[in-house]
Amino acid sequence: MTERERVNILLVDDQQAKLLSHEAILAEIGENLLKAGSARQAFEYLLKNEIAVILIDVCMPDLDGFELAAMIREHPRFQTTAIIFVSAVMMTYPDQMRGYQLGAVDYVPVPVVPELLRAKVKVFVDLYRKTRQLERFNAELELRVAERTAELQRFNDQLELRIEERTRERETALAQLFEAQKLDTIGQLTGGVAHDFNNLLMAVLGSLSLLEKRLPDDPRSHRLLQNALQGAHRGAALTQRLLAFSRRQELKPKAVDVPSLVGGMRELLERALGHGVELRTQYQSGMPAALVDANQLELALLNVALNARDAMPDGGILTISAASSTPAADGPEAALNPGDYVRITIEDDGVGMDETTLAKATEPFFTTKGPGKGTGLGLSMVHGLAAQSGGLLRIHSKLDEGTTLELWLPMAQTPAEAVAATPKMPEPDVGACKVLIVDDDHLVMTGISAMIEDLGHTPIEAHSGAEALAKLASDVDVDVVITDHAMPAMTGLQLAKCIQETYTGIPIILATGYAELPLDATLLGVIRLAKPCNQYEIALAIQSALGSRQQRGRLRVGLGD
């Protein structure tokens, strides 16, 4: 309601002359004047209109003003409507008190003073108008509050949705972190087991090779010995897989032409796949070389091919493709370092894997094959090779839709070298020398000592780094040192550093199966010997070590001249 809107004023009196008199007096206010000659007519006006002020004559024949006011006040709509009593007869104090008790706002005597009546009515008209304006303002305010509340509710719903999304992302990230930590823990455990197994294989292979030389010419005995040697070599291959998963395998990455490598082992792959599986290849034209250990890549491809064969019991197609690729910054390959990569894809149309199996596919010793049909190290070895080479392994698979494996490897900066025929290595020719052997494992010590002694050298045993230093300090004549790396109290590298600082000129051979060392052994001039090793590899290492010492001696003589 605005200031210019007219309001209704109800005049109630049974005398027409008094109604006309009140109308004449209040006409100057400029509001709508409604005249009722009875209580019934007054109620009709009240029910049909919004009334601001009611003027009621107290003395009326059918229903007096007090009774009419009581009835008006009982109605919920009119409990706050302003009522002014007008009377010429009932003007005593009790009459006025009764009027006020019935809810009257004023009690005007007759004869009426026009200016006074107009002023009184105008006050309550203005009050009514302000009240309606406040009610409208309050309704608008409530509407705005409701709109703002709804807007805040929408914002709150969006915020809750974002919190749920962030919570899911956090839970996913935590699950990925837990999986990575679990794999890292398993990798550390696997690497430790492989190291201990390497030591056992050193003792087994060394003893069997020496026994082979000393056995009488008995075909049955030689057949049993060869069977034992084959078992030991299979164990050595198993440790290589374990070390590959734990990222502790010694890799020799070089530029490898993937099409040539796969072509060179195609016959092996086809024989492994069997007659029911067709092998197909597809390569990008002019594809660059990959930086990876060629032997381990061959082993990885063979492992994947064997898994694919087992997933296609009724036959199928295995496709090996390769192309250069750049990982997307927001894609699944975002974990890779920026740069160019070679992506090798191996795809089969076998039975596929469900989500649970796919999540555990690269875990070591996890296999869905029956007992004796798989070690569960195939894909874990591929995963370890990819990680250790600076690449990534991704597997996509669905039940009854086959499996696609992507092996991302860094792109080599140089072209691949042509594969040349490996020349036959000459037998090592080294004169008798004294070899200090340092190893905390008695089985390994016994095996290496026996092989060195069989080569015509004199073994000197030390079971710790401290014992080795003590023997050197006692003026024992030593030509070369062969030491294990993983030993308590003092590692092989720490021992090598102490020997070079105190006993200059003694060549050192570090025998270890670990690829990751705290310090590059070549910086100390140390020759590395991979475990498990045979007698021939030990002889070559001794020959190389003594040759490097003679070369350093000639160099010092030349500088002295």
Side-chain angles (χ1 to χ4, degrees), residues 538-554:
I538 292 174
L540 284 179
I542 293 175
Q543 183 184 45
S544 177
L546 293 176
S548 64
R549 182 179 68 171
Q550 293 173 1
Q551 185 177 4
R552 288 195 299 269
R554 287 195 298 269

Side-chain angles (χ1 to χ4, degrees), residues 65-77:
F66 292 148
E67 293 173 333
L68 176 60
M71 294 176 64
I72 292 173
R73 283 289 183 250
E74 289 177 356
H75 197 286
R77 281 181 55 190

Side-chain angles (χ1 to χ4, degrees), residues 365-378:
F365 307 112
F366 175 77
T367 179
T368 57
K369 304 171 186 177
K373 295 183 179 180
T375 61
L377 290 171

Side-chain angles (χ1 to χ4, degrees), residues 475-507:
D475 296 330
V476 172
D477 188 15
V478 174
D479 296 305
V480 63
V481 176
I482 298 179
T483 177
D484 184 28
H485 172 64
M487 297 185 296
M490 180 182 293
T491 65
L493 276 180
Q494 291 172 340
L495 174 61
K497 190 173 182 180
C498 291
I499 292 175
Q500 290 188 341
E501 289 175 353
T502 308
Y503 308 99
T504 307
I506 299 179

Side-chain angles (χ1 to χ4, degrees), residues 210 433-437 445-460 480-482 509 535 538-539 542:
L210 293 177
C433 63
K434 294 181 179 180
V435 182
L436 176 60
I437 308 168
M445 175 70 75
T446 302
I448 295 179
S449 295
M451 286 189 286
I452 288 178
E453 187 175 9
D454 185 68
L455 290 171
H457 307 309
T458 302
I460 303 171
V480 63
V481 176
I482 298 179
I509 300 171
Q535 189 179 34
I538 292 174
I542 293 175

Side-chain angles (χ1 to χ4, degrees), residues 288-308:
L291 185 63
V292 65
D293 186 304
N295 293 330
Q296 293 304 316
L297 179 58
E298 287 182 350
L299 182 59
L301 294 176
L302 181 59
N303 281 328
V304 176
L306 292 174
N307 281 346

